[in-house]
Amino acid sequence: MRDRTRAALLAPNNSWTLSPPNPAGVADLEWSALVEDRFAEVLRAGLLTVQEMRPPILKAERGFHYVKPSRKHSNYFIRGANLLVRGSEIDFLAFCVARYLAHSPSRICTDTGTINSIAYAVSSIIRDMFPDQPTADIDSFGSYAKIDDYPFPPQCLVLMSATTSNDLAKKLMNRPNSLPARVVTLIGPSTAYSADSPALLTLEDVGAADVRNYSEESCQFCKDGSTAIHIRDEHFLPFTPHTRAELLNEGHAKQWLLGASSRLIGKTAFRVHPVATQPSRRPSLFIDVEALMESTGTGSYSDQFRRMVLHYLPASVTTIVYSDDKSSRQMAQICEEVAKERLNSRIELLVLSASELFRRSDLDTLGGTIVVVCGVVNTGSSLTRISLALRNATRKNGILYLSLFTRMPTAADRQRVVSDLTYGKRPADFNFQSVETLYLPPSDRGGWSVWEREARFLREALSGGKCAEASSRVVLERRLQTIDTSGQTGMLDQLYWNDAQGQALKVRPGFAFWPKEGRNLVEKATQADVYFTISAVLHQARNGSDVSTREIGKFGRAEGERPWTQSEHQRVALSPYNFARYSDGVIQASLLRVADQRELDYSYSVELSRTLAEIVKQLKEGRTSQTGEAFDEFLLALADGRVQLEPQVRSDLFDFLGESLGVENSVSDSTRALVGLIRSQAINAPV
């Protein structure tokens, strides 16, 4: 078998033609025919099988791209070492490499030590082929970083892991001296740089046909705001994830938010953390449509809804269906009033709640246009269920969907919901309209809200004996009662811990994310209004584009914006300087409560940890004035683990707070209680 292998590997022009068959045996003739006709096809099938089982491509996530060792920017990085897992597969790949050898090389040089295993397997085959020749040395030349200084010996074999551009092969083959005898690449472009630089697999084979490469100076990914992931060191691994600190600015308050703020702030439209029987049964931030509908003056939301009904309600309406809540029932009454005014009470309208609709079995007998009303459309699931129940009726009738608010993450999500609801053979018979559209984080993200986390933390502190002082226990029990009794209506102005004087945190004039002409908004604004605004602004920052204009399937964003995308390669943190830029305590508290826990994780950066620690110390000094009114909120965030610092910085800060506040007589009961929690062992493990 060794002779057959050697003969095959030494065939002229790599044709895989064996030397003349042994005339004494038919078996050799059959073997020769097989090799002539099918051997190359069999090898290719084997190569494709290996890459399917061991995918070698790393495709950058949305908003990211790779910077390869060549310094080129690309949407793919191909790591040939991923193919080298099992011994039998490595031997097979080595056999495919060895067929390109016409003599024993003096050395096998790899571009990375991660593929040395295949080099050793090739060396083993060479020993069988050329038993009288010295064993080839195996060494890594260090890819682009060291290629110019590496002394390639004459007649060496260069084995490369992968390339999308053949640039490294060009550098090798264009060297003025010490040219390698052969350059073989595991994965490369379909067109080799030269006959002496073949590739076992092409980019198309591994699913990277759409690879895009740019120079550092003209990278389109960078121009689009994509974040670069650097591939570094000898093993071609993505660089250690780093933390990127981001600042909020007025540009994150888009026109839809400024307009909605002018109409909603001060109207008790928003409430936070309603008590629910299950975690996140209702969103932490919800819109109180019932309160808005109670106002009936000109320009009120009930007036705006009536105007919308007058504009869109057809004379053919016969049925009105409303969601199972009081505000939707009020909206259905307005529709009924408008319809009867138009029809002069000639027709008796059928008005049904959604639950009543689902119980009926005669829906296919309904005639005319059906109007479906809903106070807030969050995901569209409730309207979709109504639409499905009416599918028999809609064969001959149209449906008009009316809502006061549409709450969606992006315009694309709204477009998708509207498209699903209005799809049919007669699109003109279906319509969807809402008075106001708000772009906010998904309302059904699941998990515990920040107030539920706080309540659990306080209960554990009280039950675990971590709060011994009677006055501190009273403070924690009072706060826990506030959270637990927020009721079905939610909280308006008890979202946060009070300042050192026991006063609720209030927003001051000049809030950057509200209309500049809306100074009177501040006078009536609630803490829930500020929470709504910060939720919208942070949601905008995380998306990196105007969520109110994004189209389906389009990843576009305004010039200079980049999304706050969390990934295994990069962590995005809320820059500590945001707490210096936005000095109102209620804004700082909202940032601490709205921010994702990863956005408050500074443990990966000593610099960011020290910056936040200094800000906390400044708040401590000014806690009896406006400059430190949110100090207790920072203490809570540090105690319950929402804010994470580098371990040594964290330890130093906790020691400072415990020692400095422990000896002061002017410390409020709430601050003393929270400092006690910080000093307890409970803070070592975040809730």
Side-chain angles (χ1 to χ4, degrees), residues 110-112 140-147 150 234 236:
T110 61
D111 64 337
T112 166
S140 171
F141 63 85
S143 191
Y144 286 91
K146 300 178 180 178
I147 185 174
Y150 188 83
E234 168 71 12
F236 292 169

Side-chain angles (χ1 to χ4, degrees), residues 594-609:
V594 174
D596 186 284
Q597 189 161 353
R598 294 170 296 180
E599 293 165 349
L600 296 174
D601 186 353
Y602 307 107
S603 61
Y604 294 91
S605 171
V606 174
E607 180 182 357
L608 292 175
S609 296

Side-chain angles (χ1 to χ4, degrees), residues 306-369:
R306 179 179 291 275
R307 290 173 182 273
M308 184 174 71
V309 173
L310 283 168
H311 184 77
Y312 290 103
L313 191 73
S316 59
V317 59
T318 59
T319 306
I320 300 173
V321 180
Y322 60 91
S323 295
D324 292 308
D325 58 80
K326 185 177 179 180
S327 59
S328 296
R329 177 70 179 110
Q330 291 174 300
M331 294 165 64
Q333 289 174 344
I334 292 176
C335 291
E336 186 177 14
E337 292 170 3
V338 172
K340 288 185 176 181
E341 289 172 5
R342 281 190 170 188
L343 301 174
N344 298 319
S345 302
R346 290 195 302 255
I347 298 178
E348 186 67 29
L349 295 175
L350 178 62
V351 182
L352 301 168
S353 67
S355 57
E356 291 171 336
L357 176 76
F358 299 144
R359 292 195 296 267
R360 294 181 69 102
S361 59
D362 60 344
L363 298 181
D364 57 341
T365 64
L366 297 179
T369 300

Side-chain angles (χ1 to χ4, degrees), residues 13 33 63 78 143 146 190 202 224 264 308 339 379 396-397 441 444 447 460 474 523 587 592 595 687:
N13 301 320
I78 304 175
S143 191
K146 300 178 180 178
S190 55
T202 67
D224 291 339
L264 289 168
M308 184 174 71
T379 62
K396 53 186 176 181
N397 307 305
D444 58 347
E460 290 181 6
V474 169
E523 299 175 1
I587 301 175
L592 289 172
V687 176

